[in-house]
Amino acid sequence: MASATPAAPDHNPDVVLVVDFGAQYAQLIARRVREARVYSEIVPSTMPVDEMLAKNPKAIILSGGPSSVYAEGAPSLDTAIFEAGVPVFGMCYGFQLMAVALGGTVDDNGAREYGRTPLAVTKPGSTLFEGTPAEQSVWMSHGDACSAAPEGFAVTASTDVVPVAAFENDARKLYGVQYHPEVLHSTHGQQILEHFLYRGAGIAPDWTTTNVVDEQVAAIRAQVGTKRAICGLSGGVDSSVAAAIVQKAIGSQLTCVYVDHGLQRKGESEQVEKDFVAATGVQLKVVDAEERFLSALAGVTDPETKRKIIGREFIRVFEQAQAELIAEAGAAGEAVAFLVQGTLYPDVVESGGGTGTANIKSHHNVGGLPDDIEFELIEPLRKLFKDEVRMVGQELGLPEEIVQRQPFPGPGLGIRIVGEVTKERLDLLREADAIAREELTAAGLDREIWQCPVVLLADVRSVGVQGDGRTYGHPIVLRPVSSEDAMTADWSRLPYDVLAKISTRITNEVADVNRVVLDVTSKPPGTIEWE
């Protein structure tokens, strides 16, 4: 399988590298840098420094991490990075790594700090802290602590138990803080980060979604040439924006394929043909594959197996569509050699593509693809977060109904049925899902929640009373969550009256459902989807 088109070329002169030491927040750091209108990429801590420098970074950020700098096998970094003349900003573990590497002292003195912590700024006019309060709340998560800064470094902040909570060396453009400025709990964290980017590193905040579109259009034209591409269009934000970028690049060389696999929500097929085609004028080929997918999923209950089956069948349907398109084009037609996918950065990370990350679940575009795929992939959104994708969609002029649509998984309702997927169960879940969406929209809550998966516990039944009689029906789970980028999420505190109306309507209007429950689990420990 060929590698995807990068979100920005390696020679971008304004790239900031985020070196990942296994931090849970590495992706968030990269996202915060982009919010400052500066392009960022994550690289593993195992990458040789000369390879990092070959990317010509304007700055380097060292992430946090779970290790002690003194632990056996703890991630390390070649000290040559501090002599390269590139501005460096260390956070938490990265801060301690800098301190030790440059001659400071880090020790286990019992000065552990976790969660919100008061920070005292000792040099208010410093590069990082100028214009911020002398006392501010920050988010700490550390055991070891820096007790002495390296020679030539000014100590710029401390806490009640940590004498060196931040240091700066303007001459060498080296900076560090013990806490996590990237999380919202650090009240002035974004300002500190921007001070490093703009003042410490001298980077101009000029990266925009226009840059993304322009770079991708040029890269895709070079990649595709005169050949043709197909795109799996689901009607969701990701595939729609990916398709719109590729169409802008190669026009009529792109054909979108909508697979009617029977796993869609109510009204989705009509939305794709009406809204997206009307907005873009893209060529659309509809493939009726419901029977094929349901046959392949018959008897399957394991969620990973379901994901892989759905991913496999998608590719096989695309191959069928490819053959039909070539036949239609005749002898003069160019080869359909490329498959466009709306893979996002969180999809890659959760499928084991991030540094130090486990394979949480196979994404249908990543771990769910068969090894013998015949297409070369085009993934213009592979390094973008969802909010960035929405901005790109707005830049391309896509309608609000598509750009602001809540996330919906590529495998569709197939992974929202816990148990075997059947036509009857899909129809039942479709109705329950439609009711939940209708009531959330009516209450004006669409923009306040990230998404609300509606889950059918198909292999579970519970006793109920309906119409003065005993019932033995299925439970439906509501999973409303709030998130910025799906890397982490919390359950949404929906108004009780809205929840009550959804529950009443589902139990009254959907056959074989006699109970509605609310999932109040955050991510982590749970994932947003149940399967």
Side-chain angles (χ1 to χ4, degrees):
M1 186 190 305
S3 59
T5 306
D10 285 347
H11 62 268
N12 187 333
D14 294 331
V15 66
V16 172
L17 298 183
V18 177
V19 182
D20 184 2
F21 290 97
Q24 59 176 320
Y25 296 130
Q27 292 78 28
L28 186 55
I29 297 172
R31 191 172 173 278
R32 295 293 184 231
V33 173
R34 297 187 196 185
E35 287 178 1
R37 296 181 62 197
V38 175
Y39 180 72
S40 62
E41 290 182 1
I42 298 174
V43 297
S45 61
T46 53
M47 176 181 283
V49 168
D50 58 348
E51 290 186 22
M52 294 183 194
L53 298 178
K55 290 178 173 287
N56 192 26
K58 276 292 186 75
I60 294 173
I61 296 176
L62 309 180
S63 84
S67 303
S68 163
V69 292
Y70 296 119
E72 184 177 353
S76 61
L77 194 65
D78 188 340
T79 56
I81 199 169
F82 304 116
E83 309 299 330
V86 177
V88 180
F89 186 18
M91 301 177 178
C92 196
Y93 181 83
F95 167 74
Q96 295 180 0
L97 202 60
M98 286 182 71
V100 172
L102 295 169
T105 303
V106 172
D107 45 36
D108 183 359
N109 60 4
R112 290 167 174 78
E113 293 175 310
Y114 298 98
R116 288 186 177 88
T117 304
L119 181 82
V121 178
T122 55
K123 288 189 178 297
S126 72
T127 296
L128 295 185
F129 292 102
E130 184 175 1
T132 67
E135 298 287 336
Q136 50 191 275
S137 179
V138 300
W139 189 260
M140 291 284 193
S141 182
H142 68 92
D144 296 344
C146 182
S147 56
E151 184 178 351
F153 282 73
V155 177
T156 54
S158 62
T159 70
D160 289 344
V161 296
V162 176
V164 183
F167 55 48
E168 303 181 20
N169 187 322
D170 283 316
R172 300 176 65 180
K173 297 188 179 299
L174 302 178
Y175 307 86
V177 296
Q178 176 60 74
Y179 61 94
H180 289 278
E182 71 274 20
V183 303
L184 294 176
H185 303 300
S186 294
T187 52
H188 295 275
Q190 185 67 15
Q191 192 174 356
I192 301 302
L193 177 59
E194 290 177 2
H195 281 174
F196 166 70
L197 296 170
Y198 306 156
R199 303 176 65 200
I203 302 173
D206 55 11
W207 182 77
T208 67
T209 53
T210 301
N211 303 141
V212 176
V213 174
D214 291 345
E215 290 163 1
Q216 283 299 310
V217 166
I220 292 166
R221 283 175 179 163
Q223 182 183 10
V224 175
T226 60
K227 295 180 181 179
R228 297 175 64 187
I230 59 175
C231 174
L233 188 64
S234 68
V237 181
D238 307 339
S239 65
S240 296
V241 174
I245 291 177
V246 177
Q247 193 207 28
K248 184 178 177 69
I250 62 174
S252 61
Q253 292 168 251
L254 171 69
T255 299
C256 287
V257 177
Y258 178 70
V259 178
D260 189 353
H261 49 30
L263 307 176
Q264 300 96 332
R265 296 189 294 190
K266 191 173 182 178
E268 284 189 315
S269 296
E270 294 79 8
Q271 182 192 51
V272 170
E273 296 194 53
K274 177 175 68 73
D275 293 342
F276 187 76
V277 175
T280 64
V282 73
Q283 298 180 70
L284 181 66
K285 181 180 181 67
V286 178
V287 180
D288 183 357
E290 179 179 16
E291 184 177 340
R292 175 176 185 154
F293 275 76
L294 290 179
S295 296
L297 290 167
V300 178
T301 59
D302 177 71
E304 268 294 281
T305 304
K306 280 198 276 188
R307 283 179 175 271
K308 291 183 180 298
I309 287 173
I310 293 169
R312 181 195 70 205
E313 293 304 315
F314 258 104
I315 294 301
R316 297 307 173 229
V317 171
F318 282 129
E319 289 173 344
Q320 174 185 332
Q322 177 196 39
E324 292 173 358
L325 287 170
I326 290 173
E328 292 167 5
E334 292 286 350
V336 180
F338 297 92
L339 171 62
V340 180
Q341 294 196 135
T343 310
L344 303 191
Y345 195 50
D347 302 333
V348 177
V349 172
E350 290 198 339
S351 296
T355 305
T357 60
N359 187 339
I360 298 170
K361 59 186 178 183
S362 293
H363 188 264
H364 60 285
N365 288 350
V366 187
L369 295 177
D371 295 332
D372 59 344
I373 180 174
E374 296 181 0
F375 301 105
E376 185 175 348
L377 298 182
I378 300 175
E379 296 178 304
L381 312 177
R382 188 178 176 89
K383 289 193 175 181
L384 297 184
F385 294 95
K386 178 72 76 172
D387 56 339
E388 295 171 329
V389 173
R390 294 192 198 280
M391 289 188 286
V392 170
Q394 291 172 333
E395 177 78 21
L396 292 166
L398 294 180
E400 285 287 296
E401 293 81 5
I402 291 177
V403 173
Q404 297 301 333
R405 184 187 186 215
Q406 290 183 0
F408 185 62
L413 299 179
I415 59 166
R416 290 185 177 174
I417 294 176
V418 180
E420 183 184 6
V421 178
T422 67
K423 178 71 162 59
E424 294 72 26
R425 290 173 172 180
L426 285 165
D427 289 341
L428 184 157
L429 181 55
R430 252 188 287 272
E431 292 303 317
D433 175 85
I435 290 170
R437 287 189 290 143
E438 286 171 13
E439 293 303 330
L440 290 173
T441 299
L445 295 171
D446 286 340
R447 296 288 187 92
E448 293 187 25
I449 63 173
W450 175 262
Q451 66 185 116
C452 184
V454 178
V455 181
L456 171 64
L457 304 183
D459 291 338
V460 175
R461 287 183 178 270
S462 64
V463 174
V465 178
Q466 291 171 300
D468 294 327
R470 180 183 186 277
T471 61
Y472 197 50
H474 297 290
I476 284 286
V477 180
L478 303 180
R479 172 70 165 140
V481 295
S482 300
S483 180
E484 289 187 329
D485 50 36
M487 297 304 301
T488 60
D490 194 13
W491 64 280
S492 301
R493 275 65 167 175
L494 298 182
Y496 288 154
D497 59 337
V498 175
L499 290 171
K501 193 166 186 180
I502 293 173
S503 176
T504 299
R505 283 197 59 194
I506 289 176
T507 52
N508 284 350
E509 299 175 29
V510 182
D512 293 328
V513 174
N514 64 358
R515 192 178 298 270
V516 176
V517 300
L518 179 66
D519 183 346
V520 295
T521 312
S522 63
K523 173 188 178 181
T527 55
I528 292 177
E529 298 290 345
W530 272 48
E531 293 207 331

